[in-house]
Amino acid sequence: MKRAIILSLMVFMALALRAQSDLQVSPLFEGKIIPQERMVVTRIKGMMMQEYRLSLFHSVVFDGTEEEAQRVSRLIEREGHIASSDYQSKKVKTLKRQLPAKNGKNRFLCFKSNNKSKGCHVVVIYMEGPLASLNELEMILSNE
């Protein structure tokens, strides 16, 4: 029984990673840009995401240099997208992208960097599910 549960978890994780594998920013989620030990990674899949009309939430949070934040930002800016929303001030940069649907699921990618006195705090979130648009996602995020 224990083996079946572990095998199931491995299959679900592989499917979640495969859904993002075509992204410019996928090396970040794989620990190839920022080492895994410097990141906080969160993956939520299934029932917990239904109230947000999402089936997958995958985030990476790290404190890094301004150069690292800019590298990740450039990757996200190069993603092909069907809708976007950007904001930038002296300290904060926010990018939101609705990516082309894949396997019948709408996909979203969000980036936020906040300049601190020593480096940047960066959050990157990949989401997918039946949520229809970037506008709906922004409404959900503003209510949280």
mmCIF file of all heavy atoms in Angstrom, residues 15 18 21 28 34 37 46 61 64 71 75 85 111 114 122 131 134-136:
data_model
loop_
_atom_site.group_PDB
_atom_site.id
_atom_site.type_symbol
_atom_site.label_atom_id
_atom_site.label_comp_id
_atom_site.label_asym_id
_atom_site.label_seq_id
_atom_site.Cartn_x
_atom_site.Cartn_y
_atom_site.Cartn_z
ATOM 1 N N LEU A 15 3.727 14.514 -13.885
ATOM 2 C CA LEU A 15 2.745 15.149 -14.763
ATOM 3 C C LEU A 15 2.718 16.654 -14.559
ATOM 4 O O LEU A 15 2.618 17.419 -15.519
ATOM 5 C CB LEU A 15 1.354 14.554 -14.537
ATOM 6 C CG LEU A 15 1.155 13.120 -15.024
ATOM 7 C CD1 LEU A 15 -0.216 12.597 -14.588
ATOM 8 C CD2 LEU A 15 1.320 13.026 -16.526
ATOM 9 N N ARG A 18 5.762 18.075 -16.205
ATOM 10 C CA ARG A 18 5.664 17.986 -17.647
ATOM 11 C C ARG A 18 4.789 19.096 -18.210
ATOM 12 O O ARG A 18 5.046 19.613 -19.291
ATOM 13 C CB ARG A 18 5.119 16.612 -18.048
ATOM 14 C CG ARG A 18 5.397 16.277 -19.483
ATOM 15 C CD ARG A 18 5.269 14.772 -19.707
ATOM 16 N NE ARG A 18 4.271 14.542 -20.715
ATOM 17 C CZ ARG A 18 3.102 13.978 -20.528
ATOM 18 N NH1 ARG A 18 2.757 13.561 -19.346
ATOM 19 N NH2 ARG A 18 2.263 13.799 -21.507
ATOM 20 N N SER A 21 7.027 21.989 -18.686
ATOM 21 C CA SER A 21 8.319 21.751 -19.306
ATOM 22 C C SER A 21 8.548 22.564 -20.572
ATOM 23 O O SER A 21 9.683 22.762 -20.971
ATOM 24 C CB SER A 21 8.495 20.262 -19.594
ATOM 25 O OG SER A 21 7.545 19.841 -20.546
ATOM 26 N N LEU A 28 13.953 27.325 -13.840
ATOM 27 C CA LEU A 28 13.845 27.840 -12.469
ATOM 28 C C LEU A 28 13.156 26.821 -11.577
ATOM 29 O O LEU A 28 13.632 26.517 -10.480
ATOM 30 C CB LEU A 28 13.064 29.157 -12.446
ATOM 31 C CG LEU A 28 12.764 29.713 -11.056
ATOM 32 C CD1 LEU A 28 14.052 30.171 -10.380
ATOM 33 C CD2 LEU A 28 11.770 30.850 -11.134
ATOM 34 N N ILE A 34 18.326 28.923 -9.785
ATOM 35 C CA ILE A 34 18.567 29.147 -8.355
ATOM 36 C C ILE A 34 18.640 27.763 -7.718
ATOM 37 O O ILE A 34 17.745 26.946 -7.930
ATOM 38 C CB ILE A 34 17.416 29.959 -7.708
ATOM 39 C CG1 ILE A 34 17.182 31.278 -8.450
ATOM 40 C CG2 ILE A 34 17.675 30.184 -6.227
ATOM 41 C CD1 ILE A 34 18.343 32.243 -8.440
ATOM 42 N N GLU A 37 18.194 24.516 -2.636
ATOM 43 C CA GLU A 37 18.315 24.815 -1.202
ATOM 44 C C GLU A 37 18.078 26.293 -0.886
ATOM 45 O O GLU A 37 17.865 26.646 0.268
ATOM 46 C CB GLU A 37 19.660 24.343 -0.642
ATOM 47 C CG GLU A 37 20.884 24.902 -1.312
ATOM 48 C CD GLU A 37 21.364 24.078 -2.500
ATOM 49 O OE1 GLU A 37 20.717 23.082 -2.889
ATOM 50 O OE2 GLU A 37 22.406 24.451 -3.055
ATOM 51 N N GLY A 46 -5.260 19.541 -7.053
ATOM 52 C CA GLY A 46 -6.475 18.820 -6.723
ATOM 53 C C GLY A 46 -7.509 19.628 -5.981
ATOM 54 O O GLY A 46 -7.699 20.811 -6.221
ATOM 55 N N VAL A 61 9.772 30.611 -4.344
ATOM 56 C CA VAL A 61 10.092 31.861 -3.666
ATOM 57 C C VAL A 61 11.565 31.806 -3.273
ATOM 58 O O VAL A 61 12.029 30.792 -2.757
ATOM 59 C CB VAL A 61 9.224 32.043 -2.395
ATOM 60 C CG1 VAL A 61 9.581 33.325 -1.664
ATOM 61 C CG2 VAL A 61 7.745 32.015 -2.752
ATOM 62 N N GLY A 64 17.347 36.645 -3.722
ATOM 63 C CA GLY A 64 18.497 36.572 -4.601
ATOM 64 C C GLY A 64 19.039 37.942 -4.922
ATOM 65 O O GLY A 64 18.606 38.954 -4.371
ATOM 66 N N ARG A 71 17.176 38.057 -14.479
ATOM 67 C CA ARG A 71 17.267 36.892 -15.368
ATOM 68 C C ARG A 71 15.928 36.154 -15.437
ATOM 69 O O ARG A 71 15.440 35.816 -16.518
ATOM 70 C CB ARG A 71 18.359 35.946 -14.882
ATOM 71 C CG ARG A 71 18.509 34.725 -15.755
ATOM 72 C CD ARG A 71 19.630 33.828 -15.307
ATOM 73 N NE ARG A 71 19.693 32.660 -16.171
ATOM 74 C CZ ARG A 71 20.367 31.572 -15.891
ATOM 75 N NH1 ARG A 71 21.074 31.505 -14.774
ATOM 76 N NH2 ARG A 71 20.349 30.551 -16.704
ATOM 77 N N LEU A 75 13.115 35.817 -18.642
ATOM 78 C CA LEU A 75 12.552 34.547 -19.116
ATOM 79 C C LEU A 75 11.032 34.632 -19.217
ATOM 80 O O LEU A 75 10.426 34.171 -20.186
ATOM 81 C CB LEU A 75 12.951 33.398 -18.189
ATOM 82 C CG LEU A 75 14.422 32.987 -18.219
ATOM 83 C CD1 LEU A 75 14.696 31.953 -17.143
ATOM 84 C CD2 LEU A 75 14.817 32.469 -19.588
ATOM 85 N N SER A 85 -0.397 41.463 -17.910
ATOM 86 C CA SER A 85 -0.588 42.614 -17.049
ATOM 87 C C SER A 85 0.739 42.855 -16.345
ATOM 88 O O SER A 85 1.260 41.964 -15.680
ATOM 89 C CB SER A 85 -1.699 42.336 -16.027
ATOM 90 O OG SER A 85 -1.763 43.367 -15.081
ATOM 91 N N PHE A 111 4.919 36.693 -11.771
ATOM 92 C CA PHE A 111 6.243 37.006 -11.253
ATOM 93 C C PHE A 111 6.147 38.278 -10.435
ATOM 94 O O PHE A 111 5.472 39.232 -10.844
ATOM 95 C CB PHE A 111 7.209 37.229 -12.422
ATOM 96 C CG PHE A 111 8.521 37.873 -12.040
ATOM 97 C CD1 PHE A 111 9.603 37.101 -11.665
ATOM 98 C CD2 PHE A 111 8.670 39.250 -12.067
ATOM 99 C CE1 PHE A 111 10.814 37.689 -11.323
ATOM 100 C CE2 PHE A 111 9.869 39.849 -11.726
ATOM 101 C CZ PHE A 111 10.939 39.065 -11.351
ATOM 102 N N ASN A 114 10.643 42.169 -5.374
ATOM 103 C CA ASN A 114 10.611 43.299 -4.461
ATOM 104 C C ASN A 114 12.046 43.577 -4.050
ATOM 105 O O ASN A 114 12.679 42.760 -3.384
ATOM 106 C CB ASN A 114 9.738 42.964 -3.251
ATOM 107 C CG ASN A 114 9.438 44.164 -2.403
ATOM 108 O OD1 ASN A 114 9.964 45.244 -2.628
ATOM 109 N ND2 ASN A 114 8.586 43.978 -1.420
ATOM 110 N N VAL A 122 11.879 37.309 -4.567
ATOM 111 C CA VAL A 122 11.224 36.955 -5.824
ATOM 112 C C VAL A 122 10.214 35.837 -5.595
ATOM 113 O O VAL A 122 10.497 34.869 -4.889
ATOM 114 C CB VAL A 122 12.269 36.501 -6.874
ATOM 115 C CG1 VAL A 122 11.592 36.081 -8.169
ATOM 116 C CG2 VAL A 122 13.288 37.610 -7.127
ATOM 117 N N LEU A 131 -10.010 28.055 -14.890
ATOM 118 C CA LEU A 131 -10.152 29.509 -14.760
ATOM 119 C C LEU A 131 -9.975 30.131 -16.143
ATOM 120 O O LEU A 131 -9.001 29.842 -16.835
ATOM 121 C CB LEU A 131 -9.109 30.047 -13.783
ATOM 122 C CG LEU A 131 -9.205 31.527 -13.438
ATOM 123 C CD1 LEU A 131 -10.477 31.796 -12.642
ATOM 124 C CD2 LEU A 131 -7.991 31.950 -12.647
ATOM 125 N N LEU A 134 -7.114 35.997 -17.409
ATOM 126 C CA LEU A 134 -6.216 36.718 -16.522
ATOM 127 C C LEU A 134 -7.007 37.699 -15.654
ATOM 128 O O LEU A 134 -6.698 37.885 -14.474
ATOM 129 C CB LEU A 134 -5.155 37.453 -17.338
ATOM 130 C CG LEU A 134 -3.981 38.051 -16.594
ATOM 131 C CD1 LEU A 134 -3.226 36.992 -15.800
ATOM 132 C CD2 LEU A 134 -3.035 38.738 -17.557
ATOM 133 N N ASN A 135 -8.062 38.287 -16.212
ATOM 134 C CA ASN A 135 -8.913 39.197 -15.425
ATOM 135 C C ASN A 135 -9.556 38.472 -14.251
ATOM 136 O O ASN A 135 -9.616 39.000 -13.143
ATOM 137 C CB ASN A 135 -9.996 39.828 -16.305
ATOM 138 C CG ASN A 135 -9.437 40.858 -17.243
ATOM 139 O OD1 ASN A 135 -8.364 41.407 -17.027
ATOM 140 N ND2 ASN A 135 -10.157 41.109 -18.318
ATOM 141 N N GLU A 136 -10.046 37.251 -14.482
ATOM 142 C CA GLU A 136 -10.641 36.471 -13.391
ATOM 143 C C GLU A 136 -9.592 36.119 -12.344
ATOM 144 O O GLU A 136 -9.869 36.154 -11.145
ATOM 145 C CB GLU A 136 -11.292 35.199 -13.929
ATOM 146 C CG GLU A 136 -12.561 35.454 -14.704
ATOM 147 C CD GLU A 136 -13.213 34.167 -15.176
ATOM 148 O OE1 GLU A 136 -13.170 33.161 -14.437
ATOM 149 O OE2 GLU A 136 -13.778 34.174 -16.281
#
